[in-house]
Amino acid sequence: MDAIELLMTRVSVPVLTEPGPSDCEIDVLIQAACRAPDHARLQPWRFIKITGERRHDLGELLVKAALARGDNLTEGQADRLRKTPLRAPVLLLPVLVFTEHPKVPEAEQLLSLGAAVGNILNTAHILEIGAMWRTGLVSYEPVLAEELGLANNEKLYGFIYLGTPAAEMKSVPEVDPAYFLSDW
Ligand SMILES: Cc1cc2nc3c(=O)[nH]c(=O)nc-3n(C[C@H](O)[C@H](O)[C@H](O)COP(=O)(O)O)c2cc1C
C-alpha cells in the first residue's frame, strides 16, 4: 500500500489482544509523535507506557478517580471500569507538557499534542498495530494526574490502546471532501 492509501484507511480498533507492539515499535511510534508540527519547538508532549500487571493498578486508580468525581458506581460498573486498561496489552498515555511562551498559547500546544497522537495512530496503522485513543471523563480527575506523577504544568489526555486487532477491521466511511471545504 502506498502512503496515501495507508493514511486513508486508518481506523480505530476497539478490540485488541496480545501481542502488543515491541519496544522497537514503540520507539518508532514516539519518534513519529515527535515529528508533529510544533510552534517554537516546545515539544509539549510526553507519553506514559503502561503494560502487564501495571494495567491492574491503573484499573484501581480509574475506580478511585471515578469515586473522586462523585460517580455513584454499582459493583458491576466499578468492575467494568477496573478492567478497561485490560482492553489492550500496551497503553500509551498522552500528556500535555505546557510551557509558558509569549507566542505559543496553551491551545496551540494542545493542538501539537493532538497532532503527535495522530502521528502515533497513523504510524501504528502502517505497522499493522491496532490502536484506539480514548479519554472518558475520569481521565481528567486530579487524583489520576497526581498518582501518575504529573507535574503542575502537565495534563493527561486519555489513553492510546495498542495491540493486535482481535476482530475484523471496520470499513472506512465515505468522505465527501466538498462538505468540508469551501472557497472564500
Ligand atoms: C481526544 C479523543 C478522545 C476520545 N475518547 C473516546 C472515548 O473515550 N471513547 C470512545 O469510544 N471513543 C473515543 N474517541 C474516538 C475514537 O478514538 C475514534 O476516533 C472514533 O471511534 C472514530 O473511529 P475512527 O478513528 O476509526 O474514525 C476519542 C477521540 C479523541 C480524538
Side-chain angles (χ1 to χ4, degrees):
M1 262 197 260
D2 68 20
I4 298 295
E5 197 178 346
L6 282 164
L7 280 176
M8 302 288 183
T9 54
R10 184 209 63 82
V11 286
S12 296
V13 187
V15 189
L16 297 162
T17 188
E18 302 280 351
S22 66
D23 287 348
C24 272
E25 287 173 323
I26 291 171
D27 281 351
V28 172
L29 298 179
I30 300 299
Q31 281 172 302
C34 293
R35 287 311 311 133
D38 170 17
H39 195 173
R41 298 217 171 153
L42 296 175
Q43 296 185 310
W45 49 65
R46 70 182 180 96
F47 300 89
I48 301 171
K49 183 177 73 173
I50 300 183
T51 62
E53 284 303 300
R54 285 299 262 169
R55 294 174 302 158
H56 293 278
D57 299 335
L58 177 62
E60 293 302 337
L61 188 50
L62 292 179
V63 173
K64 189 170 165 183
L67 295 174
R69 234 174 68 80
D71 289 354
N72 264 326
L73 297 179
T74 64
E75 267 302 304
Q77 286 167 330
D79 206 43
R80 272 200 297 283
L81 185 58
R82 190 176 286 116
K83 286 182 178 147
T84 54
L86 307 179
R87 288 191 281 212
V90 173
L91 282 76
L92 286 181
L93 281 48
V95 176
L96 174 70
V97 183
F98 173 64
T99 303
E100 290 281 355
H101 189 286
K103 291 186 181 161
V104 192
E106 183 167 342
E108 287 191 15
Q109 297 184 41
L110 183 55
L111 287 170
S112 275
L113 175 70
V117 175
N119 281 2
I120 288 180
L121 298 177
N122 283 319
T123 306
H125 177 57
I126 290 166
L127 295 173
E128 298 184 357
I129 298 163
M132 181 153 178
W133 188 8
R134 298 179 197 257
T135 46
L137 290 177
V138 290
S139 63
Y140 302 114
E141 265 308 300
V143 68
L144 205 54
E146 192 185 315
E147 301 235 4
L148 289 167
L150 270 57
N152 287 338
N153 65 325
E154 295 183 327
K155 189 161 179 200
L156 180 69
Y157 280 93
F159 315 90
I160 306 168
Y161 292 84
L162 296 163
T164 302
E168 187 79 5
M169 306 275 265
K170 67 183 181 189
S171 56
V172 179
E174 291 273 322
V175 170
D176 175 8
Y179 181 80
F180 299 99
L181 181 68
S182 56
D183 291 306
W184 185 75

